[in-house]
Amino acid sequence: AEERTAATVADLMEEWLERHVRTKRKSRTASGYASLMTVHILPALGKRPAAGLTAGDLTTFHEGVARKAVKPSRPGVKRAPKTRATGGQTTANRCHAILRAAFRWGVRVGLLPKGSADATSAVEPYREGERTTFLDPDHVARLRDALALAEGEGLPTATGR
């Protein structure tokens, strides 16, 4: 059988999203990944050959997203009107994480030659500060129920007893 390869970053990312993410992750996770791909990854890197992406390419991309200034893939090409150029260090880190996951998956399933994911390891993520999160009413109710159960039956152990 003929071995299939991902010709471009867009080919790889779209295949990873359909074959891996949409089948193994929650739909909200898949939507978030698709959004980062649409807004940041594909405009900047989508037409590039996946196997030829270098650590320098990925570092430049990561820094560009962190500066909130992702440039179109070619000079003179404008973004689609519905695409907002958001970014920042946390967004840059998320984009890098999904690129790294997609490249590793691509190597594992034979879409990319061995060593293709090495370039993703060279990018150093930005430090992220603490974030404050608030529980919505559904989560508060689930926490209350879990605490009531723990008070009545005790907490489960690692062995399940």
Side-chain angles (χ1 to χ4, degrees):
E2 186 177 315
E3 188 173 316
R4 185 168 175 199
T5 60
T8 65
V9 172
D11 295 335
L12 172 68
M13 298 301 294
E14 288 164 9
E15 187 130 0
W16 170 75
L17 189 68
E18 291 306 315
R19 287 180 51 193
H20 180 71
V21 177
R22 293 198 192 282
T23 61
K24 298 185 181 189
R25 302 288 181 263
K26 292 181 180 178
S27 63
R28 188 169 177 165
T29 298
S31 314
Y33 289 177
S35 176
L36 288 171
M37 286 169 53
T38 301
V39 174
H40 298 287
I41 298 169
L42 298 182
L45 301 172
K47 293 182 180 179
R48 304 284 307 272
L53 219 53
T54 67
D57 297 331
L58 291 170
T59 299
T60 300
F61 168 72
H62 191 242
E63 291 168 351
V65 174
R67 284 191 312 269
K68 301 182 182 196
V70 177
K71 296 178 181 170
S73 54
R74 294 181 317 213
V77 176
K78 298 191 183 219
R79 281 192 199 306
K82 292 183 181 180
T83 304
R84 269 183 42 210
T86 59
Q89 292 181 345
T90 301
T91 301
N93 286 347
R94 299 297 169 272
C95 287
H96 175 256
I98 66 173
L99 274 164
R100 188 172 184 174
F103 271 72
R104 287 179 171 181
W105 176 84
V107 169
R108 196 169 52 248
V109 300
L111 292 176
L112 292 174
K114 288 186 190 313
S116 296
D118 292 349
T120 64
S121 299
V123 176
E124 185 177 342
Y126 292 100
R127 287 187 58 180
E128 295 182 24
E130 293 181 13
R131 291 185 281 169
T132 302
T133 57
F134 300 94
L135 298 178
D136 62 31
D138 179 53
H139 288 104
V140 170
R142 289 173 47 201
L143 177 60
R144 183 193 64 236
D145 294 344
L147 290 172
L149 182 65
E151 284 178 345
E153 298 179 12
L155 294 172
T157 63
T159 59
R161 290 184 253 164

